[in-house]
Amino acid sequence: MSADTRIDPLDALLDLEAALATEERELRGVLNLGANDIVVLRLLLAAEQADALVRPSEISRTLAISTAATTALIDRLETRGYLARRPHESDRRSIRVTATIPDDSPIRAAFATSRAHRADALDGLLPEQRDAVASAFRRLSSAIAPGE
């Protein structure tokens, strides 16, 4: 590839950001969810897949919102049947939050489709290329949101 036909990584990043914003807007409209709702549900579904626990404090940190706002968000999503509060197994003073979205829900289907599109886009990469992309994404994330 000649120097004048190379892809500028920052331009490619802007394209990715625009595509992600479009996807999120479409998800919000189709699923009738807010931006923070989508972030929380993705977090809970990823935790479910990894067999990890999510506490309300992790939701607060992820969204950079207050405890009161987190409680209101959890209440709203719990009322809609998307999550539940459960006692923490090892810390009786704490609770964990789990997804209660049915397997055949449009929400799960939409998130699975989104993930599949991303996986498909990375499928043709060699292991070294995948490592380089993952490393670049992590460095960008750290540069954009230090301490996250």
Side-chain angles (χ1 to χ4, degrees):
M1 196 175 267
S2 70
D4 55 20
T5 60
R6 289 182 186 230
I7 297 170
D8 180 353
L10 293 178
D11 287 344
L13 180 60
L14 289 174
D15 291 346
L16 175 60
E17 289 171 344
L20 291 171
T22 298
E23 178 191 50
E24 182 179 312
R25 236 183 352 270
E26 289 172 359
L27 278 175
R28 286 193 334 248
V30 169
L31 301 175
N32 194 27
L33 294 168
N36 283 348
D37 300 345
I38 288 174
V39 171
V40 169
L41 294 177
R42 279 190 198 273
L43 175 69
L44 294 177
L45 292 174
E48 176 182 274
Q49 195 168 29
D51 199 29
L53 299 177
V54 176
R55 291 185 170 112
S57 59
E58 184 176 348
I59 294 171
S60 294
R61 269 193 313 280
T62 299
L63 297 174
I65 60 175
S66 70
T67 303
T70 301
T71 299
L73 179 103
I74 291 171
D75 288 346
R76 186 175 68 255
L77 292 174
E78 188 172 38
T79 298
R80 292 182 71 179
Y82 297 145
L83 59 78
R85 293 172 171 96
R86 308 242 191 261
H88 192 281
E89 284 100 21
S90 60
D91 183 355
R92 298 167 87 191
R93 300 166 295 159
S94 183
I95 64 165
R96 61 189 177 98
V97 182
T98 59
T100 57
I101 304 165
D103 289 340
D104 61 352
S105 164
I107 293 172
R108 280 191 191 268
F111 289 169
T113 299
S114 170
R115 185 167 179 78
H117 288 159
R118 292 169 189 180
D120 288 349
L122 298 172
D123 249 0
L125 298 179
L126 298 171
E128 311 81 57
Q129 292 171 313
R130 291 174 78 88
D131 290 346
V133 168
S135 177
F137 285 167
R138 286 192 181 102
R139 284 194 316 270
L140 286 164
S141 295
S142 293
I144 293 166
E148 292 291 312

